[in-house]
Amino acid sequence: DGKRVVSGSWDKTVKIWDADTGAQVLTLTGDAGMVNSVACSPDGKFIVSGSDGKLVKIWDAATGAEIHSLGEHNGQGHCLCELDEDENVEEDEDGEKIIDPECPVTGHSGMVKRVVFSDDGKLVISGGKDNTVRVWDVASGRQVRQLAGNLFAMVEGPSDEHKTHRHVLTARGDTLLIYKVAKGQPHAEEGASGAPMACFKAPQCIKSLRCYGSAIC
């Protein structure tokens, strides 16, 4: 409703501010690293944050309570495969471990760089330094898709026969990938990677990715 502003900080907190007075309303604590990205759900009820602590967190915007810590191994058996030292893991120029996008492990293995809600507020999409983009179900906190790429953008809008579509575009290096994501409550197998519906090569490395309106561009 435009009455609140949300910020993420180097001090590992998320803060909610009154947009009219500038007063601090709530401080959300509990993250293990610098908060790099925050977003609000379309209905204003939830906040999502992504951090250097490799976690995506969903918060209650009214109370500041943590609802889900996505990617945190909490004894519920979320790890879906074992990583051999040389088979599925490599390192980037900073020594950060990067998971092979085809290895469907739940949760990022590196810092989370960006988080967004879908237009209906049912999904959260996160992009990390581990070269994966992950799709989460807000209600259950489960990871429902794992996509390749370290940049992403989402396109939602009408298509043929009065139906709607949702696509997630990702980029890694000079490669642009387009994935179709189910509208509404997802039913994909937890952690499933899934093949892209289209793949394009750019002349140079892709540094940013944005979409305008409901068109894929």
Side-chain angles (χ1 to χ4, degrees), residues 1-7 15-26 40 44-47 61-63:
D1 58 8
K3 295 181 179 180
R4 296 287 189 268
V5 174
V6 181
S7 64
K15 294 182 184 292
I16 302 175
W17 310 82
D18 187 298
D20 292 327
T21 67
Q24 181 178 311
V25 179
L26 287 172
C40 295
K45 294 181 179 180
F46 304 105
I47 295 168
T63 66

Side-chain angles (χ1 to χ4, degrees), residues 53-189:
K54 308 177 185 180
L55 297 177
V56 175
K57 290 182 180 286
I58 297 178
W59 313 81
D60 186 306
T63 66
E66 181 182 306
I67 298 173
H68 296 301
S69 187
L70 309 180
E72 188 169 47
H73 295 281
N74 53 13
Q76 296 180 358
H78 284 297
C79 187
L80 300 180
C81 68
E82 295 182 359
L83 297 180
D84 293 333
E85 183 175 356
D86 299 323
E87 183 177 355
N88 294 314
V89 179
E90 58 186 80
E91 293 185 355
D92 65 9
E93 63 275 10
D94 299 322
E96 187 91 28
K97 291 190 180 298
I98 298 174
I99 288 182
D100 181 342
E102 297 305 317
C103 181
V105 174
T106 300
H108 290 283
S109 66
M111 63 181 285
V112 180
K113 299 164 64 177
R114 183 172 176 237
V115 291
V116 301
F117 278 97
S118 61
D119 284 354
D120 60 8
K122 294 183 178 181
L123 299 176
V124 161
I125 297 89
S126 62
K129 197 176 180 181
D130 59 359
N131 281 334
T132 66
V133 173
R134 296 168 189 268
V135 183
W136 309 87
D137 176 37
V138 172
S140 67
R142 291 186 178 275
Q143 178 181 303
V144 295
R145 293 291 299 273
Q146 177 179 310
L147 315 176
N150 56 5
L151 301 172
F152 73 89
M154 184 166 55
V155 181
E156 299 183 82
S159 60
D160 296 335
E161 299 178 356
H162 306 290
K163 297 180 180 179
T164 56
H165 69 243
R166 176 186 289 139
H167 294 89
V168 177
L169 285 67
T170 70
R172 181 180 182 184
D174 63 353
T175 303
L176 176 67
L177 304 169
I178 301 177
Y179 295 88
K180 187 175 182 180
V181 179
K183 196 77 173 176
Q185 180 71 20
H187 297 286
E189 179 183 354

